[in-house]
Amino acid sequence: MKLPAHYFRFSPMTTLKLSTLAIVGLWCWFLGKFFLWEDRPGLLVVLSLCLLGGTILSILVFVSTYSFVANAPENQIDERELALRNRAYSRTVQYVVVCLLVGLFGSEFVERRGVVLVPTVFQNFLLCLMITTLIVPSWLLARWDVDASDEDAPGVRGASQKT
Amino acid sequence: MKPTPSKKPLQGLSPLRLPAWCVRWILEMGRFLSCEVMPQRLPAWAVQWIAGFAILGMWAGFVNRFLPDWPVARMVLKGVLVAAVVAWVVAFFSTYGFLANAAVRQIDERERMLRDQARSATLHYVLFSLCFGSGASVLADQLGLPAESLGLGYFCHSLLMTTLLVPIWILARGRASETDLEVSDLGPPSTLSS
């Protein structure tokens, strides 16, 4: 793996924590806004912070080692990293499908209860899904590395250290 | 595992006296749902075309919302949408649909690798679609168009249905082109042929 100099070399645990916080923050923002049916400025500020924090953490994850592996051209990563990445992508597709299913059934359920969903809800949902979909492969790669380091097996980080 | 026959008849419960055809039908449904019968042996090129048609048809159904009031075009697109739904079902329950969604223990290493590659390409498709959907909604806001006209709910629906089909299309396409290259046999999946 030829990691460019401007990428952050976070440890697997740091990447895992950052990406988890980003994903949780972004979904909290979406769900918070979804259930915010009354005018509550204090809560709105908290939700805005969730969005801001989630976005900043996402950017940090985007420029980390794991995001490089998750998005690098195939000739810049080795066979094993490619296999790991494909596995991570495979899981991410499952994540997207589950999110879309939950979103559709959820919207159907809510509309049957007489709540009219405004288009902004779908806009927020798409935005949240898009940003989290970009982070999930890195989150998975970091998680597998953390698990592997617990079992003393080399993960993505192990391979990068060797090179 | 064989069910252990109970020594005593169940108290208070009388066994259902179902007719033979009904029991056979239930058993067939069970086999169908447990993937024993489900994957049809359609050739790869057929699955590729059926899945491709279903993907395009699903998006055509979404585009239908934006058409002006042209009754003929709307009727044609509705027909395409219905045909796409049928094609979706056929493709999803084909051999390649099974391969794209089977449990890990039901497929071998090579099939798993191919599936991961197919899903990897699917993720790019999903991201592109999400970018397109989000970008279009933001653009519509900027242009002052009513956001309701975008039908983002329908967009999510089309995205979900096509996301489930794209790996099947990629796997079938890969297999169809493999026959030209004379690479080792992929389908039907090993677990099905055994």
Side-chain angles (χ1 to χ4, degrees), chain B residues 104 107-117:
Chain B
V104 174
I107 51 176
D108 64 26
E109 191 77 19
R110 185 169 166 277
E111 288 163 347
R112 205 177 310 152
M113 194 191 74
L114 282 171
R115 183 170 75 172
D116 282 353
Q117 281 175 359

Side-chain angles (χ1 to χ4, degrees), chain B residues 119-193:
Chain B
R119 283 188 178 166
S120 163
T122 308
L123 186 65
H124 292 128
Y125 162 79
V126 170
L127 279 171
F128 175 77
S129 304
L130 285 172
C131 267
F132 177 77
S134 300
S137 64
V138 171
L139 192 69
D141 268 354
Q142 294 296 317
L143 293 173
L145 294 172
E148 289 85 358
S149 64
L150 282 175
L152 287 175
Y154 289 98
F155 176 82
C156 289
H157 184 260
S158 300
L159 181 60
L160 173 68
M161 298 301 268
T162 52
T163 302
L164 291 170
L165 268 198
V166 169
I168 299 169
W169 180 76
I170 293 170
L171 286 169
R173 186 167 153 259
R175 172 62 184 146
S177 57
E178 258 184 13
T179 45
D180 299 336
L181 298 169
E182 292 181 1
V183 181
S184 60
D185 188 31
L186 161 65
S190 56
T191 43
L192 294 173
S193 54

Side-chain angles (χ1 to χ4, degrees), chain B residues 1-187:
Chain B
M1 193 177 74
K2 283 184 179 178
T4 318
S6 55
K7 288 171 184 172
K8 286 180 181 178
L10 288 169
Q11 294 296 315
L13 282 173
S14 61
L16 283 171
R17 296 189 190 284
L18 294 172
W21 63 265
C22 187
V23 174
R24 197 168 61 218
W25 188 80
I26 291 169
L27 289 174
E28 283 298 322
M29 280 300 288
R31 283 183 64 210
F32 182 83
L33 292 172
S34 62
C35 298
E36 282 184 37
V37 187
M38 196 159 54
Q40 308 141 10
R41 301 294 196 275
L42 283 174
W45 61 267
V47 178
Q48 182 194 343
W49 280 98
I50 290 169
F53 172 75
I55 292 167
L56 290 178
M58 290 287 165
W59 284 120
F62 173 66
V63 170
N64 189 17
R65 291 178 54 80
F66 302 103
L67 286 181
D69 201 14
W70 297 332
V72 179
R74 275 185 185 270
M75 209 166 69
V76 169
L77 276 178
K78 272 185 184 167
V80 169
L81 183 61
V82 171
V85 172
V86 175
W88 190 94
V89 174
V90 172
F92 195 78
F93 293 117
S94 68
T95 314
Y96 295 91
F98 171 78
L99 186 58
N101 299 299
V104 174
R105 61 188 161 75
Q106 287 181 308
I107 51 176
D108 64 26
E109 191 77 19
R110 185 169 166 277
E111 288 163 347
R112 205 177 310 152
M113 194 191 74
L114 282 171
R115 183 170 75 172
D116 282 353
Q117 281 175 359
R119 283 188 178 166
S120 163
T122 308
L123 186 65
H124 292 128
Y125 162 79
V126 170
L127 279 171
F128 175 77
S129 304
L130 285 172
C131 267
F132 177 77
S134 300
S137 64
V138 171
L139 192 69
D141 268 354
Q142 294 296 317
L143 293 173
L145 294 172
E148 289 85 358
S149 64
L150 282 175
L152 287 175
Y154 289 98
F155 176 82
C156 289
H157 184 260
S158 300
L159 181 60
L160 173 68
M161 298 301 268
T162 52
T163 302
L164 291 170
L165 268 198
V166 169
I168 299 169
W169 180 76
I170 293 170
L171 286 169
R173 186 167 153 259
R175 172 62 184 146
S177 57
E178 258 184 13
T179 45
D180 299 336
L181 298 169
E182 292 181 1
V183 181
S184 60
D185 188 31
L186 161 65

